[in-house]
Amino acid sequence: MNILSIDIDYAYSPTISSYDDYVVGSKISLEEQEKLIKQKGLPSPKVNNSKLEILREVLDKKTGPKVPLNISSHHHSILHFLPTDTSFSIYNFDHHHDIYYPGWHSLEELDEGNWVFHTEHELIDKYVWFCNEDSEQIEDISVVSFPVEIVTEVVLPSLPNFDMVFCCYSPHWTGDSGRKNLVKILRRD
C-alpha cells in the first residue's frame, strides 16, 4: 500500500525558513503562536505557488477519485488513518521530516514533529520524505528501523499511484492561509 502524505507547509518555502525556529507548534494555541511571531518581527507565512502546483500535479496524476482522502489540522493525526493489518510505504511532502527533532520536543509525547517515530515500525516498508532545499535535515535516523529516503526533486513518473491520501494544513506554520491553499490543491475542476 502506498500512502501520500501532504503537509501544506511544504509549499511555504522559502518564507517558512525565516520563522520556522520560532514555531512552537500545537503545544500552544494558534493565537499564542501568531503573537510570538509578530513580537519577533518575523514575516507572515507566504505560499510558493510553484510548490502548490507540484502538489496539485501529484494529486491529479497519482490519485483517483475513489482514493480515500483524510484531512486534519495537525500531521500527527495521520496515525488514526494508517493501516494496522498490512504493510505500507509513506511518501511525505513536507517542509519537515517529522521523525524527531532533538531539543524541540521529546520522543515520549506524540506531536506533529515526531509522528513518524510513533508509527508501527514493523508495518512500514519505507518512508520517503520530499523536502525543500531549505528544510532542516534529519539529525539521527537511527531512531527508526525502516528505510528512509530523502528527495528534493519531484520526478512524477517515478512516483507510484497512491492508495490513500492524508493532508494537513499545519496552522502554526501556515497561518490562516494553510487551509485555503490546501483546499485549492484538492479541488478537481
Side-chain angles (χ1 to χ4, degrees), residues 119-142:
T119 58
E120 295 291 330
H121 287 217
E122 64 274 0
L123 292 178
I124 297 182
D125 292 325
K126 69 179 172 179
Y127 174 75
V128 182
W129 175 40
F130 290 86
C131 62
N132 295 307
E133 289 183 8
D134 57 334
S135 292
E136 184 178 332
Q137 293 303 305
I138 301 169
E139 285 184 35
D140 183 8
I141 207 160
S142 69

Side-chain angles (χ1 to χ4, degrees), residues 90-160:
I90 299 175
Y91 294 77
N92 185 32
F93 285 78
D94 195 328
H95 187 73
H96 306 95
H97 57 75
D98 294 349
I99 293 174
Y100 169 56
Y101 287 89
W104 187 72
H105 56 187
S106 73
L107 276 176
E108 291 75 36
E109 190 172 332
L110 171 66
D111 63 37
E112 62 270 62
N114 66 13
W115 65 266
V116 176
F117 171 80
H118 286 273
T119 58
E120 295 291 330
H121 287 217
E122 64 274 0
L123 292 178
I124 297 182
D125 292 325
K126 69 179 172 179
Y127 174 75
V128 182
W129 175 40
F130 290 86
C131 62
N132 295 307
E133 289 183 8
D134 57 334
S135 292
E136 184 178 332
Q137 293 303 305
I138 301 169
E139 285 184 35
D140 183 8
I141 207 160
S142 69
V143 297
V144 295
S145 59
F146 45 82
V148 175
E149 295 177 31
I150 302 170
V151 180
T152 54
E153 185 178 339
V154 180
V155 179
L156 201 59
S158 70
L159 293 175

Side-chain angles (χ1 to χ4, degrees), residues 26 40 49 55 58 64 67 85 115 128 136 138-139 158-159 161 171 178 188:
S26 61
K40 299 275 184 193
N49 286 313
L55 296 175
V58 169
V67 172
D85 58 352
W115 65 266
V128 182
E136 184 178 332
I138 301 169
E139 285 184 35
S158 70
L159 293 175
N161 289 326
R188 295 184 188 255

Side-chain angles (χ1 to χ4, degrees), residues 36-54:
L36 177 64
I37 296 294
K38 191 174 182 179
Q39 285 174 339
K40 299 275 184 193
L42 299 167
S44 297
K46 185 174 190 266
V47 74
N48 177 334
N49 286 313
S50 65
K51 295 280 185 178
L52 270 186
E53 191 52 40
I54 290 169

Side-chain angles (χ1 to χ4, degrees), residues 15-44:
T15 309
I16 194 171
S17 289
S18 61
Y19 59 83
D20 192 38
D21 288 344
Y22 300 96
V23 176
V24 178
S26 61
K27 294 180 199 117
I28 64 173
S29 72
L30 185 54
E31 293 76 24
E32 290 172 297
Q33 183 64 67
E34 290 170 344
K35 183 179 176 184
L36 177 64
I37 296 294
K38 191 174 182 179
Q39 285 174 339
K40 299 275 184 193
L42 299 167
S44 297

